[in-house]
Amino acid sequence: MSAASSLGLVPVPRSLELRPGFCELGLGAVVECPEEWAAVGRVAAAWLGKCLGARFEATTAGASGASADLGPEVPGSLAPGSGTGAGTGGEGGIAVAARSPREARAAAPSGGPARIRFAAEAGFGAEEYRLEAGESLIEIRASSAAGALAAASTLWQLALSQGSALPALIVEDAPRFPWRGAMLDTARNYFPIEFLERFLDLMALHKLNRFHWHLTDDQAWRLDLAALPELAARGSRRLDRRFNVPRWKEGSYSPGEVRRIVSFAAERGIVVVPEIETPGHVTALLASHPELSCAGAAPGGLAFEPEDRYGVFEELLCAGNEQVFDLLGRVFDELAELFPGPWVHAGGDEVPTARWSACPKCRALMRREGLRDEGGALEPELLQGWFMNRVAALLAERGKRLVGWDEILEGRVRQDAVVMSWRGMSGGIEAAKAGHEVVMSPQTRSCYLDHKQLDLPEEPGQLGVCTLRDSYAFDPVPPELSPEEGSRILGGQANLWTELMYFGRQVEYMAFPRLCALSEVFWSPKEGRGFDDFLGRMEVHGRRLDRLGVNRYRGAVG
């Protein structure tokens, strides 16, 4: 058994060497960081403090007697066995010290626990790191905070399984892909902020670094915007038609809550990518602005309410109505302020074009823009590309880059759009060959974690089966691509659509352990890893998830 296998690290690191001896973590342990990585020290102290039930102190290197201003304490949202988003208070919490490293070491018992030292060093890749654990010092070297956080998550895993007595070792590690994502649909069902923080911590444990936050759909508009309060007021509440008495499903995220999630994610090396669906999947938006639909704008037009059914609905934003783009510009103004990351996902999927084909404004637009097929007939599918290019331009004006589902390719979307391939691999292959950057997240037995984990009637899930073995076998780079084309594959993403997931515990059951498998696909070198070895490591890693109270699937692997 290899060293990596015996320790059960997931995702498996590039190299791991066990050395003689142990190092002791515990009461009085000190986490030292460069000042620019103060948040890394706080997060590492939070993870280890909650895990070991010990008092950890985070200090900034270079502080000499004067207080080191480390900012506010970081909530430690995963307490072993809690299964909830626990804060920093209470037993087993952390202390963020305003002391120099020398003062903190002096306060520790003689011959006490090992120090943890983060050191910034040139020459490492963007998220690459080296972790060396000796008897009295755990030293982590990286060139970036992202690399330091990846090392901290490895240390967290070791502490969860080994306790305070860690084996002496050297880990050298770096990711295969820069985009290692997980999408959570909070439109079909609302999940509280505390669960989102828990989910983000579990992402960080597995070195996932893109949180795709699905905020709007036919069933809800979850984002409460100061300039457009009616969107959430009308769009975040729908009648629950499972009951014969009035009951409501509701919930939205305030700007303060969004900032809290964005900050929490950033301190764990995770970029939040918000999704605002356009031009379809917009029934909840139209609940407050029916005039922006083709049908609702007509005399005696339609009224809309957020859907409690699921599927594809024919109502769209009217491409020929300039007010649509005025409203989207106002939405994107607030998004640009709330989400500092470079990407905004704008949907673009499942757009039935019957309304556009019949709409006088949309037909006039198609004639004006020359959107015709080879036979000269007006072509509404080209109108979709025109629409998404307008959206991309609005985002670019605000310093953001469009991400869209693979249907955006059908209308000649602009070159800088990132294509997220979901209907299979073919969309991603086409996009990469056309020069687009691509995120692979196909629903074909790999990345859709709302599918059943096993083809049994008693297993929850919908629309398909995706076993643990299926997820592990996925490779984001298909063999049809040349090396140059393959370099445009940014990585991959797991998607959790929540039509049938009403609570966080259900989300966890559907996510784990398949998300563990995908994290290894996205992070670890393709060579040198295998499914049987992964299953062996999951015996150890599963106990880590148990300590954290994760509700995981434990059945056959497929």
Side-chain angles (χ1 to χ4, degrees):
M1 179 182 290
S2 68
S5 298
S6 66
L7 294 174
L9 293 175
V10 176
V12 66
R14 184 174 62 191
S15 70
L16 189 155
E17 176 189 351
L18 282 175
R19 310 191 110 184
F22 290 86
C23 65
E24 179 67 27
L25 290 175
L27 185 65
V30 176
V31 179
E32 300 175 10
C33 274
E35 286 192 28
E36 64 272 22
W37 292 356
V40 175
R42 292 198 302 267
V43 170
W47 285 341
L48 294 173
K50 288 292 182 183
C51 168
L52 299 176
R55 184 181 179 85
F56 278 72
E57 299 196 13
T59 71
T60 52
S64 55
S67 293
D69 182 10
L70 302 182
E73 292 188 359
V74 177
S77 72
L78 280 177
S82 69
T84 61
T88 49
E91 296 180 4
I94 65 166
V96 179
R99 291 198 267 181
S100 70
R102 180 177 300 174
E103 290 172 323
R105 287 196 298 271
S110 176
R115 290 182 295 130
I116 302 166
R117 183 169 68 201
F118 290 84
E121 183 177 294
F124 289 89
E127 296 178 84
E128 186 179 9
Y129 70 88
R130 185 179 193 272
L131 186 158
E132 182 171 1
E135 291 187 2
S136 61
L137 176 67
I138 297 173
E139 185 168 59
I140 291 167
R141 296 186 174 275
S143 295
S144 67
L149 279 163
S153 76
T154 298
L155 188 59
W156 184 19
Q157 287 199 17
L158 290 169
L160 281 166
S161 58
Q162 309 301 123
S164 61
L166 305 187
L169 51 75
I170 297 175
V171 178
E172 293 181 337
D173 205 5
R176 182 183 176 196
F177 295 106
W179 189 297
R180 305 179 304 279
M183 186 281 292
L184 182 63
D185 168 16
T186 62
R188 272 52 179 265
N189 280 296
Y190 171 84
F191 298 92
I193 289 295
E194 292 77 12
F195 176 73
L196 298 186
E197 289 180 339
R198 174 175 171 79
F199 188 75
L200 288 165
D201 253 340
L202 289 169
M203 285 181 62
L205 180 71
H206 294 90
K207 299 179 173 62
L208 299 169
N209 68 344
R210 302 285 184 264
F211 176 49
H212 176 172
W213 193 358
H214 189 76
L215 285 160
T216 74
D217 215 295
D218 291 302
Q219 291 72 28
W221 178 286
R222 299 293 185 198
L223 189 59
D224 193 359
L225 300 175
L228 297 160
E230 71 278 7
L231 290 174
R234 290 293 305 276
S236 67
R237 188 172 187 261
R238 71 180 187 264
L239 190 64
D240 190 340
R241 300 188 184 278
R242 296 173 299 174
F243 301 94
N244 64 356
V245 295
R247 294 187 65 173
W248 299 89
K249 297 178 182 178
E250 55 191 339
S252 63
Y253 302 104
S254 70
E257 289 173 323
V258 169
R259 292 187 183 97
R260 171 176 159 180
I261 287 298
V262 168
S263 175
F264 190 92
E267 289 185 325
R268 285 148 181 79
I270 298 170
V271 177
V272 180
V273 182
E275 182 178 5
I276 302 296
E277 280 275 15
T278 65
H281 288 286
V282 292
T283 307
L285 185 159
L286 296 175
S288 58
H289 286 278
E291 74 280 4
L292 300 184
S293 77
C294 295
L302 300 179
F304 300 93
E305 295 293 336
E307 281 286 354
D308 198 44
R309 300 172 298 163
Y310 302 113
V312 178
F313 301 94
E314 64 180 358
E315 301 305 334
L316 307 174
L317 294 173
C318 179
N321 185 348
E322 197 61 26
Q323 292 179 7
V324 166
F325 302 101
D326 292 340
L327 181 133
L328 290 178
R330 295 171 69 191
V331 170
F332 295 155
D333 283 340
E334 291 203 45
L335 248 66
E337 190 272 326
L338 290 171
F339 296 94
W343 304 283
V344 170
H345 201 301
D349 61 311
E350 297 179 324
V351 180
T353 56
R355 293 291 194 194
W356 283 350
S357 295
C359 173
K361 288 184 178 180
C362 291
R363 293 180 64 81
L365 175 62
M366 285 187 276
R367 285 192 291 268
R368 187 167 64 249
E369 296 294 330
L371 302 179
R372 299 178 181 273
D373 62 19
E374 292 180 355
L378 297 178
E379 179 51 84
E381 287 190 0
L382 293 178
L383 184 55
Q384 180 179 352
W386 180 92
F387 189 103
M388 296 309 295
N389 279 328
R390 280 289 304 269
V391 169
L394 289 171
L395 290 171
E397 290 168 5
R398 292 153 178 84
K400 303 297 180 183
R401 191 172 170 194
L402 170 71
V403 183
W405 301 110
D406 56 49
E407 288 97 327
I408 66 175
L409 290 168
E410 296 168 5
R412 299 194 292 265
V413 71
R414 55 189 277 168
Q415 191 70 43
D416 63 351
V418 177
V419 175
M420 192 167 280
S421 187
W422 76 275
R423 292 178 295 178
M425 301 290 278
S426 59
I429 293 169
E430 178 187 349
K433 287 181 176 292
H436 292 279
E437 290 186 328
V438 175
V439 177
M440 289 290 196
S441 61
Q443 64 172 339
T444 47
R445 297 186 76 96
S446 52
C447 294
Y448 269 46
L449 305 190
D450 54 317
H451 291 184
K452 286 173 172 279
Q453 309 225 33
L454 206 63
D455 192 9
L456 292 175
E458 60 268 25
E459 276 301 319
Q462 61 168 343
L463 303 178
V465 177
C466 174
T467 67
L468 181 62
R469 188 184 299 273
D470 292 331
S471 289
Y472 196 85
F474 172 60
D475 190 342
V477 182
E480 294 92 329
L481 297 181
S482 69
E484 180 182 359
E485 292 163 348
S487 70
R488 299 184 187 122
I489 306 298
L490 297 177
Q493 181 171 289
N495 293 332
L496 284 152
W497 300 104
T498 63
E499 290 95 336
L500 301 181
M501 300 179 213
Y502 304 102
F503 309 103
R505 302 290 284 172
Q506 293 170 298
V507 171
E508 290 178 9
Y509 182 87
M510 299 304 292
F512 296 100
R514 292 181 293 186
L515 194 56
C516 306
L518 288 170
S519 77
E520 184 152 307
V521 170
F522 302 154
W523 176 276
S524 303
K526 185 177 180 181
E527 302 75 19
R529 64 174 178 84
F531 186 61
D532 289 341
D533 180 68
F534 170 76
L535 289 181
R537 284 181 284 112
M538 277 304 302
E539 292 184 14
V540 177
H541 192 65
R543 292 194 290 273
R544 292 187 186 109
L545 298 179
D546 293 343
R547 283 202 67 199
L548 296 171
V550 174
N551 183 35
R552 61 186 175 100
Y553 168 81
R554 300 168 189 266
V557 301

